[in-house]
Amino acid sequence: MATALSTEIQQLIVEETGSAAPSTDDAAAFESWLDGIKGSHEELYAGVAAEIEAFIMGKAA
């Protein structure tokens, strides 16, 4: 399973939500999952969003 997320944030996701995030390769599933944690895990959501943004910016450079 490919992902743009670091190992650290993946471990935090499991600790906070009880399961892993879907692969970032499946954009629809990942976006749906991200929307689902937006309200219930605000700090986790912010961390995931920051990692995705950094990954995208790194690919654009």
Side-chain angles (χ1 to χ4, degrees):
M1 175 166 84
T3 185
L5 303 175
S6 69
T7 302
E8 292 80 18
I9 197 91
Q10 290 181 55
Q11 290 173 342
L12 183 59
I13 289 167
V14 172
E15 290 172 13
E16 292 278 328
T17 67
S19 62
S23 169
T24 53
D25 286 346
D26 184 345
F30 186 80
E31 185 176 356
S32 177
W33 172 83
L34 194 57
D35 284 344
I37 67 162
K38 190 174 187 177
S40 60
H41 296 87
E42 290 180 29
E43 289 182 28
L44 181 59
Y45 173 83
V48 170
E51 283 213 3
I52 295 295
E53 182 177 353
F55 180 79
I56 291 170
M57 296 304 286
K59 288 188 102 174

